[in-house]
Amino acid sequence: MKITREDVLRVAELAHLELTSEEVELYRGQLDEILNYIGKLEELDVSKVEPMTQALFTGDGSSNAGLGAASEHPELRDDTLSPCDVAEAILAQAPDAAKPFFRVPKVIDR
Amino acid sequence: MNSTHSWTIAGIRSALQAKNISAKELTKDFYSQIDRRNPELNAFLALSPDRAYAQAARIDGAIARGGPLPFLAGVPVAIKDVISTSGVRTTCGSKILENYVPPYDATAVERLEGAGAVLLGKTNCDEFAMGSSTENSAYGPVRNPISLERVPGGSSGGSAAAVAAGLAVAALGTDTGGSIRQPGACCGIPAMMPTYGRVSRYGLIAFASSLDRIGPFAGNVADTAAVMAVIAGHDANDSTSAAVPVTDYAAEIEEPIKGLRIGVPEDYFGEGLDEEVRAKVEAGIALLERLGCHRIPLKMPHTDYAIATYYIVATAEASSNLARFDGVRYGLRVPGSTLTEMYRRTRENGFGPEVKRRIMLGTYALSAGYYDAYYLRAQKVRTLIARDFSDAFQKVDALITPTAPTPAFRLGEKTADPLQMYLADIYTVTGSLAGVPGISIPCGKTEAGLPIGLQIFGPQFREGRVVQLANAVEKAGGASL
């Protein structure tokens, strides 16, 4: 068994999930099974392999896996300002807005 | 009244021009068909009649004036509910976005409407596109129109079912590990995943940003290519969209396929492949050979590692992308006495079991002490999988494989076992990880009448070659092999 109950609780806290005790047990078993399966990646020697971080290109502009056509880095856009008049529309979707703010429970006690 | 099933993009165009039907009447016919079929299929989550009829009126106005008609004039389309539509509720199949109404359109939607398409509504999907059966939707599963006790595949099951049932002429789906191609196979229609970066992701609510792609479903390959032609191309609003020019798919589709080298990787025909699927895909390959293609057997040795790689890379990205759903700016909020308590309660109540499972897996893979062992290793194996493709494309023009190991399975058959569900994507995730384009097209049926999908992969940005081969198989009777 790779995954313990404590692992599940630690990860749930990192992910801001408040799991029920049934969920903790369910996910412990399922994550354990999935990670056991994923363990097959250890069969491969990857010591001389570069990680693939982009599907089309790498940061230095070279093609990642020799896949051809798209080896160029997409052009960066000009750093110019343009109007973005969407504050009203965005705040209209908020569960609790006090224009121009999103209101949340108190963060700092004093 | 024409059956809604029989409409094609070209047919709609000539019927509108000949004034055999108006765009308004056509739209109405499709909504009537949706009213009849959607209660049992559950393919649509929201309809947008105001928007659809306004667009139809614009098209009818253009016809009355005798002006030129845009490319997709009057074509009724459906949009997967992870793609933003201004003023039309967009839930991602999740309770956490139950009442979310985007303030803007995705670029792909804007381009479709700009080309004259009529947006009928939003289609059901696995929550945040996570699943292979559409059973992970918070709004109930979609049923396969071919066989109602079976799943339509997933995650874009609503889009696939809508097109297969004649409730839309074309639809947009999204594909992260197979979510367009596998439901296309299950529902017996063409379904295309373009090259990564070929279609703008602007307005697509992110699942795994290095893998997510928007692509079309349609009733035939030519219509699939026609929708691709409209949505493809660079977009300044998506910095990962490619500046590579879009080729002329409508011309490429007609080019002869004689002499093309088709690679058949033995790794896609091993243990776990249903015998009926194997037989029909072999028949599809034989058909291509009769049409003059050269069959090249080859090996893609890292295929067997693709699911393991995918479920680290995709879940890691998802755990990061889905951090934005915290009850602050949009969607559900469950109150708490502190900010953290509010986050935790909102996410616990708003997300369904598969989404939580993937957030947990991704968070674990990225967490201190495990990053190198899982995430970094998976990224390196991803390089090896992509190299399998680039090596193969040194020798062949395209790859032919099954789309999925089995035909559509029964509702409930795999819900208790997440790993079994993940393995439904075993032949599709490879191309997702490598960033290449792929299509699934109908390739015969099982004894029980269930559709089987044949998958064609091409090199990056060679969508034209992919639809060229797909069209040749379709024209030679691939669907009834």
Side-chain angles (χ1 to χ4, degrees):
Chain A
M1 186 172 75
K2 280 187 165 180
I3 300 293
T4 64
R5 191 180 159 77
E6 287 63 42
D7 288 329
V8 174
L9 292 171
R10 176 183 67 90
V11 172
E13 185 166 355
L14 288 172
H16 285 311
L17 290 169
E18 187 181 80
L19 302 182
T20 64
S21 51
E22 292 79 32
E23 283 179 316
V24 171
E25 194 41 46
L26 178 74
Y27 290 144
R28 195 206 58 70
Q30 290 178 336
L31 293 180
D32 198 47
E33 191 195 349
I34 295 165
L35 286 165
N36 269 324
Y37 176 81
I38 286 168
K40 75 194 295 176
L41 296 182
E42 288 163 28
E43 295 166 10
L44 295 169
D45 177 7
V46 291
S47 55
K48 294 191 178 70
V49 181
E50 287 297 309
M52 181 165 167
T53 55
Q54 297 276 358
L56 297 181
F57 54 88
T58 58
D60 65 1
S62 65
S63 172
N64 207 317
L67 287 168
S71 56
E72 293 162 45
H73 196 290
E75 283 176 42
L76 297 175
R77 64 174 170 80
D78 292 333
D79 188 16
T80 50
L81 297 177
S82 60
C84 183
D85 189 18
V86 294
E88 286 279 328
I90 288 171
L91 283 168
Q93 290 290 326
D96 186 7
K99 289 173 189 174
F101 301 111
F102 299 106
R103 191 154 49 194
V104 295
K106 198 152 92 170
V107 182
I108 300 164
D109 274 319
R110 55 171 166 176
Chain B
M1 185 183 109
N2 245 306
S3 154
T4 51
H5 242 117
S6 59
W7 287 113
T8 61
I9 291 174
I12 287 170
R13 188 173 192 83
S14 50
L16 289 175
Q17 280 171 332
K19 301 193 175 149
N20 292 334
I21 194 167
S22 68
K24 184 184 172 186
E25 288 162 343
L26 185 68
T27 304
K28 199 159 167 271
D29 284 353
F30 273 86
Y31 275 130
S32 306
Q33 190 69 0
I34 291 170
D35 285 345
R36 271 195 294 278
R37 296 297 309 280
N38 200 54
E40 64 178 359
L41 295 176
N42 199 26
F44 281 89
L45 292 178
L47 299 176
S48 47
D50 293 352
R51 192 163 166 166
Y53 284 116
Q55 175 84 336
R58 276 191 290 275
I59 302 296
D60 288 334
I63 293 165
R65 288 191 303 275
L69 285 185
F71 190 62
L72 297 180
V75 175
V77 298
I79 309 291
K80 185 181 184 181
D81 210 27
V82 294
I83 301 173
S84 299
T85 43
S86 177
V88 180
R89 191 175 78 126
T90 300
T91 68
C92 294
S94 180
K95 288 284 177 209
I96 212 161
L97 288 177
E98 188 164 8
N99 299 308
Y100 176 63
V101 181
Y104 71 107
D105 279 327
T107 298
V109 170
E110 195 179 274
R111 288 185 180 178
L112 280 181
E113 278 196 317
V118 173
L119 198 163
L120 296 173
K122 305 301 290 291
T123 56
N124 202 352
C125 56
D126 285 302
E127 185 177 2
F128 287 103
M130 297 180 187
S132 307
S133 69
T134 318
E135 292 168 294
N136 294 332
S137 168
Y139 305 99
V142 176
R143 289 176 181 271
N144 189 322
I146 313 290
S147 171
L148 291 174
E149 78 279 13
R150 291 181 186 266
V151 302
S155 66
S156 311
S159 287
V163 171
L167 310 186
V169 168
L172 293 185
T174 62
D175 195 314
T176 303
S179 283
I180 291 174
R181 294 160 287 157
Q182 185 258 10
C186 289
C187 293
I189 54 169
M192 178 141 196
M193 170 185 73
T195 306
Y196 181 82
R198 179 69 298 173
V199 175
S200 169
R201 292 185 294 115
Y202 182 68
L204 165 59
I205 297 172
F207 157 18
S209 308
S210 80
L211 297 159
D212 291 345
R213 306 181 214 173
I214 293 175
F217 295 91
N220 60 64
V221 174
D223 285 359
T224 308
V227 175
M228 266 304 303
V230 169
I231 61 175
H234 182 252
D235 175 17
N237 284 331
D238 174 5
S239 62
T240 62
S241 81
V244 179
V246 179
T247 58
D248 185 352
Y249 306 142
E252 286 170 285
I253 206 170
E254 301 296 344
E255 284 172 18
I257 63 165
K258 194 170 188 321
L260 286 182
R261 299 161 301 169
I262 52 167
V264 180
E266 63 179 53
D267 319 84
Y268 287 70
F269 292 83
E271 199 187 330
L273 176 61
D274 177 273
E275 283 308 318
E276 284 188 283
V277 175
R278 179 197 307 273
K280 293 296 182 186
V281 172
E282 281 293 348
I285 295 164
L287 175 65
L288 282 165
E289 287 186 88
R290 287 201 297 281
L291 295 171
C293 293
H294 303 297
R295 176 186 181 136
I296 316 280
L298 46 82
K299 287 185 182 174
M300 298 181 75
H302 301 97
T303 303
D304 192 36
Y305 299 95
I307 290 280
T309 303
Y310 175 82
Y311 277 94
I312 293 297
V313 172
T315 61
E317 293 183 21
S319 73
S320 173
N321 275 323
L322 272 62
R324 73 193 58 178
F325 300 104
D326 56 9
V328 174
R329 290 154 299 166
Y330 33 64
L332 179 75
R333 172 184 291 193
V334 179
S337 58
T338 65
L339 186 63
T340 305
E341 193 175 84
M342 184 196 85
Y343 291 157
R344 292 170 57 125
R345 287 184 178 173
T346 297
R347 291 162 64 79
E348 170 63 11
N349 286 284
F351 290 138
E354 180 62 25
V355 171
K356 284 188 222 171
R357 187 155 43 239
R358 294 202 195 187
I359 290 173
M360 294 283 290
L361 183 57
T363 304
Y364 180 82
L366 291 175
S367 67
Y370 298 94
Y371 181 92
D372 285 1
Y374 289 107
Y375 186 66
L376 188 62
R377 176 169 284 266
Q379 281 188 309
K380 290 179 174 181
V381 181
R382 186 177 180 183
T383 299
L384 297 175
I385 291 164
R387 260 185 217 160
D388 278 357
F389 278 84
S390 55
D391 290 350
F393 289 130
Q394 300 295 315
K395 297 176 216 132
V396 300
D397 300 302
L399 294 162
I400 310 288
T401 77
T403 306
T406 67
F409 41 89
R410 287 172 199 281
L411 284 153
E413 192 177 321
K414 296 182 195 250
T415 42
D417 189 342
L419 191 54
Q420 281 309 307
M421 186 73 88
Y422 296 173
L423 292 170
D425 293 332
I426 192 160
Y427 305 136
T428 48
V429 289
T430 49
S432 300
L433 290 163
V436 300
I439 195 170
S440 176
I441 52 168
C443 182
K445 289 183 174 168
T446 65
E447 287 286 325
L450 299 172
I452 291 168
L454 174 136
Q455 180 172 234
I456 305 169
F457 285 125
Q460 290 191 340
F461 298 102
R462 298 307 299 268
E463 280 78 8
R465 184 184 293 157
V466 170
V467 292
Q468 175 193 1
L469 282 161
N471 189 53
V473 173
E474 182 183 270
K475 288 282 179 291
S480 45
L481 274 174

